[in-house]
Amino acid sequence: MNPNEFDVIIIGGGITGAGTQRDCAMRGLRTLLVDRSDIATGATGRNHGLLHSGARYAVNDAESGAECIQENLILRKIASHCIDPSDGLFITLPEDDLGYQATFVEACRASGISAEIIDPDLARRLEPSVNPEIIGAVRVPDASVDPFRLCAANMLDAKLHGGQVRLHTEVTGLIKEENTVKGIHTRSRLSGEEKDFFAPVVVNASGVWGEQICNMAGTRLTMFPAKGALLIFAHRVNNMVINRCRKPANADILVPGDTVCIIGTTSSRIPLEECLNVAVTPEEVNLLITEGARLAPSLLSTRILRAYAGVRPLVSEDNDPSGRNISRGIVCLDHETRDGIKGFVTISGGKLTTYRLMAEMATDVVCRKLGVEKACETAVKALPGSEEGSYEEVARKIWENPSTSQKAAASRMGSRVSRINSDDRRDEALICECEEVSVGEVNAAIDRMEVNSLTDLRRRTRVGMGTCQGEFCACRAAGLLAKAHGCVERERKDVASFLQERWKGNFPIGWGDTLREAEYTQWVYKNVLGL
Amino acid sequence: MRFDTVILGGGLTGLVAGIRLQKAGKETAIVSSGQNALHFFSGSFESFGEPTRELADLFSEAGIHLHYQEGVRLMPMGTFRPSALSLEDISLFPNPKFGNKVLLVNIVGYHDFFSSFLAQGLEEAGMSVRIRFLNLMEMGIKTPGEMRSVQLARALDRNWEKVVQEVRLLLKDDDTIILPQVFGLEDASIPGRIRQSLPAQVVFAGTLPPSVPGIRTLHLLKHRYEVLGGTYLMGDEVVQAHLHEGVVHSVVTKNLGQHYLEAENFILCTGSFFSKGLASTPEKVYEPIFGADVSFLPDRSSWYNPSFAEKQPYIGFGVCTDECLKVLKEGAPLSNLYAAGSILGATHPELGMGAGMCLRSALKAADSILEL
């Protein structure tokens, strides 16, 4: 067998691509996944981290609502180590129409989403950070999800099922014979190496870049890139997801996640060229703070850690290049039936919450094309790390008296945490103090999870995601990476680009404590360390 | 409580000004909130030229020995930086190639000293480098749970001779030995004794903060200030000031409450943003205690350069003063309030920058008060 030949090639290392690779691999296919960058660098890693109950969509898009609740319940089982089952509130404020609540609850129930109207007093007790002015509250099964962990777990499971992953590998063209896609031309962005890979089916799971990949295939897909800006706060002020009970609008969801919370989002169409480098504007920051404080007033006095923006890969409906008929639902296109192009499938649209369903739909098309009849098992088989109970149980199985950092590692790695258990006490030394990430965990990620840079490491371990945003842990981790990769010069540049990436998220909110930290970082790196 | 001068801020600037005034027979108090920039001190007083006799004496009487030589010093990331006046720990070289064969000694389990970055920088400068690790546990030295500079320094202050023995065993024909700057936290003589005990040039290279030589400098200056009769109010901060017709009468601190601190003169050296001497909101940069005039750009988007590596305009913002460093409020100088140290930002380019600027402005403010 030629090592460059596969049954299916998946373009895109976001959650949709990773999920599709896992599903294909579990059905026995030989898979290759390529991404021009790292895992979860697009929309997957740039959202709220909200596992929708579907309630947000129930009124306007019952189908999406039903898909969300179905997947929400599945993911709680198969991806338990990536999910914090926090529950959510839909609150009505004095300026909102309380009459909408009844419509909302009815629509939720019609989509199968449990929605319980609770007394505002109870809501204030359940979630002390909520705006005390609330005049109504509905409890729904929203949750938080760590998209990086979820994406990495999918990719890891694909690899455990024989899948191959090539990150930092750009697709430069599709290999086509007449009307059949036969493979991809690629170029490594690390080594510059050019390589061709072949497969009877290529899946386009490249999110907002789906339009370009379709162009390469000789067909047309009109994306409607919609930018959404978000703010991360340095403390977790809320324990439950807080939503506004009204028609979806700007900055009306506050999601707790690990040690932080995230307010978002805005929505504005941007040109495709800007998608690689989206900046958050001062107007967006102001709007997010003002509206966010209506959900939880304490946000006004909470330090903002970072501003960032993602781009939703929305798809314009066929034959409507104006983008007026946008589908927020799942778009799964078999280009053979749509445009007469064989061996080419596009999966786009949808949501983080429905990634598994999207993967199943795409994989069904792939299997039909390949004549494979094995049924999908991703809804019942747990992801690596989620096979055993809670992280506290997992930690207790491994360590007699787990320390907080061992518990933190178990919460990130789930049952796979046993792999970092070594007899060497030195592995317990902390690299990142904010997130309690040890030398052992960093080394485990470097060894097994394709870490090329500090930013890659951050996505896999949370090193540098905490309150100090990588003040010192960046340097410590760079030392370990330099050792692992044997290249010091590369690591020195890596530290510089890590700091630049961090600054990009800081200066839009550069006042108060953020400015203090920024000044300190300037001082330490330029004058003390001499970067 | 009444003093001749009350100093707000107990870092390098406040202590140098305080010692200067105490030596001149004034009665002073320093209000210090705790940590200050000396905890991150690189060891070099950048932008300061040759010290006057008076300044050298001020430090040496405190047990701090400075040396002056124009040259470069080795930075923790393996780069070199022009430096002159420095603590004795800091080696200054005429050019980056300061040796031929270098033995670079790190400690097993210590992640805050970047031996691989250093080695790369030294090799680029034309030296050959061997990196070796000391295992403190095997050497019978009880190691701290988390190895950070200060914890290590505490353990090594009692065991530095064992380190010297071990380094001697590692030494071959190397002409230079590099050690992390984790020696002499309490006892300032240790770095010098290590140098005397080894038959090669010994260079101490910086670690991640906190800075061991910086904390030692802080302790020695504070001790000297107190020996001279100064009152160092540790863990307190000024929350309010009483002003009348352009004169500061007293300040209120968190701990002393109703017992105001009154004085003839006041020095404001509460540091820049990080130390909270300057504060900011989305709209403005301000000085929180006196409401002093601050020089800053009104449009927030011009506070920053989007490139981290470039010079950041906000770092130049600072409290406005007249040429004697008297603080301006609503455009007019307050008659008995002086500003010094990094709260000045880049408003006085003639005073230099960094720790050098702190020294110059501290002396200048003290001299203004003494009417020298």
Side-chain angles (χ1 to χ4, degrees), chain A residues 426 430 433 439 475-476 489 492 500 503 507-508 510-512 516 518-520 522 526-530, chain B residues 40 75-77 79 81 108 111-112 114 120 146 148 272-274 276 280 300 304-306 308-310:
Chain A
R426 293 194 302 258
L430 290 183
E433 283 145 330
V439 172
C475 277
R476 294 189 189 117
E489 190 45 41
R492 209 185 305 195
Q500 176 56 41
W503 178 232
F507 76 79
W511 65 83
R516 290 181 61 209
E519 187 200 34
Y520 181 60
Q522 285 277 332
K526 289 183 182 167
N527 300 330
V528 178
L529 300 178
Chain B
F40 323 109
M75 304 293 282
M77 295 294 275
T79 51
R81 193 177 167 104
V108 172
H111 296 280
D112 293 2
F114 309 117
Q120 162 104 359
E146 282 304 327
R148 304 292 182 237
S272 57
F273 298 96
F274 182 68
K276 301 190 191 176
S280 60
R300 180 156 57 86
Y304 326 101
N305 188 312
F308 177 82
E310 296 300 318

Side-chain angles (χ1 to χ4, degrees), chain B residues 16 19-20 23 48 50-67 85 220-221 224 228 363:
Chain B
V16 167
I19 291 172
R20 174 88 184 81
K23 280 178 76 172
F48 204 92
E50 198 162 357
T52 57
R53 183 61 195 264
E54 189 208 345
L55 184 75
D57 286 351
L58 186 150
F59 275 89
S60 69
E61 285 158 11
I64 300 161
H65 301 287
L66 305 180
H67 69 140
L85 184 65
L220 291 172
L221 287 175
R224 174 68 183 152
L228 288 168
L363 295 176

